Amino acid sequence: YMKENLNLGEHADLRTLLEKQALRETLDKEILKAIPVPSEGATLRFYNENIEQFREDEATRVFEIFIRKRDDQEGQADARARALQAWELALTEPDFNSLAARLSEGQARFRGGDIGFVRPGFLPHAMEIAIRDLADGQISDVVETRDGFHVMKVAGRRRAGYRPYDEARGKIAFKLRMG
């Protein structure tokens, strides 16, 4: 279908761009083939000699439903009411991710509400307080911040320590390979 309707002869700039892109991809593959893959010993040695690069702080994995504040009083009241409704649903619906994708107004909605692992000091203070004592799977109360209203779910905690070698190996090999 595309071939029939797209005459590349009429679009010389597009054809040139596609040819350059194909050439660049081919060259990248050839260059990568020429660079040796580091040995297991080399990656392990790098890990052990640079262990501090793999230190991870304690962190909490958080999902959220975010309802943005409005400028006027009526909009504020509406936002607060929608946040309370989202909280009530979060307490009863088992799939927080789908709920966040449906109700949240923040960017995390595209990831089912996942804002990732957050370290202490990363979130606004009110949010930190709200999740501090929650167990895995628990839902926070509605939290008001400068930007809006948040309903959060804790989905795991990571203790401070070092990323295991098995998790770091791929990035180390890439780093060693690319210089």
Side-chain angles (χ1 to χ4, degrees):
Y1 176 77
M2 287 276 295
K3 271 187 173 178
E4 293 171 11
N5 291 326
L6 181 64
N7 182 348
L8 290 180
E10 295 175 9
H11 304 282
D13 292 339
L14 177 60
R15 183 175 63 203
T16 302
L17 179 68
L18 291 172
E19 287 171 351
K20 285 181 180 179
Q21 183 178 352
L23 179 60
R24 190 174 310 122
E25 288 173 6
T26 301
L27 287 173
D28 287 349
K29 287 177 186 174
E30 292 301 315
I31 290 169
L32 199 56
K33 281 184 200 174
I35 301 172
V37 175
S39 69
E40 184 71 18
T43 56
L44 184 57
R45 189 170 36 262
F46 182 90
Y47 177 80
N48 289 327
E49 291 173 359
N50 298 279
I51 191 69
E52 287 304 312
Q53 289 183 21
F54 305 100
R55 177 184 293 279
E56 295 179 331
D57 295 330
E58 72 177 63
T60 303
R61 187 157 186 205
V62 179
F63 288 75
E64 78 165 344
I65 297 170
F66 172 69
I67 307 297
R68 192 173 315 285
K69 280 188 174 177
R70 305 297 185 247
D71 292 333
D72 57 37
Q73 276 189 317
E74 187 177 311
Q76 289 284 74
D78 177 61
R80 184 183 313 276
R82 288 188 300 115
L84 285 169
Q85 182 181 31
W87 174 73
E88 289 172 356
L89 288 170
L91 292 175
T92 59
E93 285 196 22
D95 190 356
F96 190 91
N97 303 63
S98 294
L99 197 60
R102 214 172 58 239
L103 302 177
S104 187
E105 297 173 359
Q107 290 300 310
R109 75 180 178 270
F110 299 113
R111 296 179 304 280
D114 189 358
I115 59 175
F117 277 95
V118 294
R119 296 183 315 272
F122 177 79
L123 296 173
H125 185 69
M127 292 173 72
E128 296 239 350
I129 297 299
I131 64 169
R132 179 177 52 202
D133 296 324
L134 294 180
D136 287 359
Q138 283 189 306
I139 308 292
S140 72
D141 290 333
V142 174
V143 177
E144 183 175 357
T145 64
R146 181 175 53 107
D147 297 319
F149 301 93
H150 309 260
V151 176
M152 296 168 290
K153 177 180 180 178
V154 169
R157 297 193 187 271
R158 181 177 67 202
R159 291 184 178 168
Y162 295 95
R163 179 178 303 155
Y165 171 70
D166 288 342
E167 290 178 19
R169 178 181 19 213
K171 286 185 179 183
I172 294 169
F174 181 79
K175 182 175 185 150
L176 292 176
R177 192 171 187 193
M178 301 315 285

